[in-house]
Amino acid sequence: MALSALGALALAVMPLPTAVDAFRPDFLVLVVFYWSIESPRAGGLALAFAAGLALDVIRGVVLGEHALAVTLMAAWATHLRLRLRVFSVLSQSLTIFALLTGYQFVLFWVDGATGNPVTTFSRWLAPIIGALIWPLLAGALSRLHDR
Amino acid sequence: MVAFRSTDTSGRTTGLLLRCILYSLLALGLIIVDKRYDHLGKIRRFLSVVAYPVQVAVASPFEGWDWFRESVSSRETLRADKAKLEAELRLANFRLQRYEALEAETQRLRALRENTAGVANRFIVGNIMDLDIDAFRERVLVDKGARDGVFVGQAVLDAGGVFGQVSRVEELTSEVILVSDAAHAIPVQINRNGLRTIAVGTGDMTRLKLPYLSTSADVVAGDLLVTSGLGGGFPAGYPVGTIAEVKRDPAQSLAEVEVRPAAALDRSREVMFVWLKTAEAQSTAAPGPSAASPSAPGPAAPSTSASPPQHPGTPKK
């Protein structure tokens, strides 16, 4: 679990060409969602909070911003987890899309409230990409978990 | 369906709501404390030292690949590179001779006017770490930090011109906000006529804009923009960019002016942190600033004394 989170953290800061950069999904958030759904007792909200804090430090934004967003959405994912597990891939992806949009919205709100808003539309692309790669990521993670 | 193999199917996670509220309040508290007060600096520094290995680990394969490619490049390539660099160095030395004379003269004139604004004193070079901090903000991480004396607000240059300024300092690294960031503004001056204004970033690495020039302002495409040194953050006289386009709409009171930045914002690997001379250091150093440049004694051609170094600007209309 910690390994997958670290890997996702690395993916989150890995250099990409600027053209592709806006399309980078929030890997770390997706991994947190996976663990919230798969076994909420293993990491739980503490994992979500720690992951968010790591993002805050690395991105250099106000401390607690990502922590708040990830915690709230991970709690929601945990709440939905029994239903999510029996959903079809499409419904799962749609739910993940909603969660990621909520995540971006919290970030958007905190950005605005702390006085440095990011108003480009490209930030709303990340939830779409995230929802699209969710089946792949969740599949890969559950393979690794089975080992 | 994605296979979740968990056996943890108990209907409730005990106290999920409670824990959610608890962590959220903690995060909100952090946000407020971090925003309002400056007490979290130490915590942040500690956390960033913890994060440093991750950052290095991610950046190193890419830097390693560059190193590998360089080390296996052929003899011919190296020879060609060397010839090119020597030619460039020769050219730069020619230019430098003139520059040293000019600088000495400028120093003397400044000393006469007791104007110490923005004379660069000391430089250190930092390497940009190969990391994407944030897709929506123009920031880079550089491998020099508080330990090297870097401070927030410090001017950062690259080989072409003004690169940005330090927006955050950690123990081992610092974050630099580029001149092209939408939240960045820099006091500038048009080199041709001394017109002062402010250049604001656009969020696009290839463009800056001058939003505060009236439609009647004397500015044409091709003008060189240099730092004015006002405000004290940046050294004076360093190139910021060239005017790319001027749009004048008679119905508007302000012109739309677009600037191409002089620094290679998207290509630089190395940047320089600049320390400005303080007033006292300046006055003591003023009598003999040219001591370090014995190769260029005496004033340069008198006509060059009033205007800063050459500029590609078109002549006045």
Side-chain angles (χ1 to χ4, degrees):
Chain A
M1 183 187 72
L3 267 183
S4 62
L6 266 182
L9 189 62
L11 281 177
V13 292
M14 193 181 73
L16 284 181
T18 1
V20 203
D21 200 18
F23 299 99
R24 181 204 303 263
D26 304 299
F27 287 110
L28 187 54
V29 185
L30 287 173
V31 168
V32 169
F33 285 172
Y34 176 83
W35 289 112
S36 305
I37 298 163
E38 164 69 31
S39 50
R41 290 196 184 145
L45 293 184
L47 171 72
F49 188 81
L53 214 55
L55 282 175
D56 286 331
V57 171
I58 282 191
R59 299 231 164 119
V61 291
V62 60
L63 274 185
E65 172 174 349
H66 290 81
L68 176 67
V70 181
T71 306
L72 284 175
M73 291 307 135
W76 194 8
T78 312
H79 178 66
L80 294 175
R81 73 188 199 287
L82 292 183
R83 261 167 287 173
L84 266 168
R85 284 183 199 159
V86 295
F87 272 1
S88 69
V89 172
L90 182 66
S91 319
Q92 271 191 20
S93 281
L94 281 177
T95 316
I96 292 299
F97 174 72
L99 290 172
L100 284 173
T101 310
Y103 165 75
Q104 288 291 352
F105 187 80
V106 176
L107 292 187
F108 186 61
W109 176 71
V110 176
D111 269 346
T114 54
N116 44 0
V118 172
T119 47
T120 50
F121 277 101
S122 51
R123 92 173 308 159
W124 303 104
L125 276 175
I128 301 176
I129 309 286
L132 287 179
I133 71 150
W134 167 256
L136 293 175
L137 189 83
L141 279 176
S142 79
R143 281 279 167 76
L144 286 177
H145 194 186
D146 278 342
R147 292 264 170 88
Chain B
M1 193 187 95
V2 177
F4 288 103
R5 50 139 235 176
S6 174
T7 50
D8 177 17
T9 49
S10 61
R12 311 173 46 243
T13 30
T14 40
L16 175 64
L17 185 66
L18 188 70
R19 280 182 301 136
C20 174
I21 291 174
L22 209 72
Y23 277 115
S24 302
L25 282 181
L26 188 56
L28 270 176
L30 270 179
I31 294 174
I32 291 166
V33 173
D34 195 17
K35 186 70 194 165
R36 283 285 155 82
Y37 315 98
D38 207 19
H39 299 320
L40 291 184
K42 278 202 182 115
I43 300 176
R44 191 182 263 282
R45 278 202 177 171
F46 168 73
L47 287 175
S48 77
V49 170
V50 176
Y52 188 69
V54 178
Q55 293 168 329
V56 169
V58 175
S60 52
F62 296 90
E63 281 159 11
W65 170 245
D66 280 349
W67 178 85
F68 175 74
R69 240 183 15 193
E70 253 173 46
S71 53
V72 299
S73 62
S74 71
R75 201 181 144 84
E76 278 73 54
T77 332
L78 286 176
R79 284 173 68 101
D81 275 356
K82 182 164 168 283
K84 189 169 144 247
L85 288 175
E86 271 173 359
E88 270 174 19
L89 183 64
R90 223 168 10 244
L91 197 67
N93 273 335
F94 278 134
R95 292 226 178 104
L96 201 60
Q97 287 174 5
R98 189 162 147 257
Y99 172 77
E100 278 173 351
L102 285 175
E103 192 188 1
E105 185 161 356
T106 312
Q107 294 269 13
R108 276 195 299 278
L109 290 170
R110 277 181 191 281
L112 283 178
R113 286 171 52 210
E114 299 271 312
N115 177 1
T116 59
V119 177
N121 186 24
R122 188 160 77 82
F123 299 94
I124 61 170
V125 174
N127 290 307
I128 294 180
M129 296 177 76
D130 212 349
L131 293 173
D132 276 328
I133 301 182
D134 194 330
F136 311 117
R137 295 194 173 100
E138 313 270 313
R139 315 269 161 109
V140 293
L141 206 64
V142 183
D143 66 346
K144 292 282 182 291
R147 192 198 270 181
D148 306 284
V150 172
F151 57 91
V152 171
Q154 188 169 22
V156 179
L157 311 175
D158 82 347
V162 176
F163 193 80
Q165 58 180 304
V166 178
S167 56
R168 187 162 55 87
V169 177
E170 314 291 8
E171 198 57 37
L172 305 170
T173 57
S174 57
E175 187 188 77
V176 173
I177 172 171
L178 306 191
V179 282
S180 62
D181 189 288
H184 190 267
I186 173 174
V188 294
Q189 198 166 21
I190 291 174
N191 198 24
R192 179 168 55 84
N193 54 16
L195 184 65
R196 286 188 306 271
T197 181
I198 291 173
V200 180
T202 58
D204 175 355
M205 281 199 194
T206 59
R207 283 190 309 130
L208 309 177
K209 60 184 178 188
L210 305 179
Y212 308 117
L213 281 180
S214 65
T215 39
S216 60
D218 176 19
V219 50
V220 292
D223 278 352
L224 179 70
L225 273 187
V226 298
T227 47
S228 66
L230 296 177
F234 288 91
Y238 282 85
V240 175
T242 47
I243 308 282
E245 196 183 2
V246 184
K247 275 188 216 147
R248 290 191 172 88
D249 180 356
Q252 303 284 328
S253 55
L254 295 174
E256 274 181 52
V257 184
E258 212 166 85
V259 178
R260 212 175 315 106
L265 297 179
D266 47 351
R267 296 185 301 279
S268 279
R269 301 293 304 271
E270 277 148 11
V271 292
M272 280 189 302
F273 294 88
V274 183
W275 277 264
L276 299 184
K277 228 170 238 184
T278 56
E280 313 86 72
Q282 169 71 13
S283 56
T284 55
S290 56
S293 55
S295 63
S303 63
T304 56
S305 60
S307 67
Q310 88 284 3
H311 62 85
T314 49
K316 254 183 188 174
K317 281 187 285 188

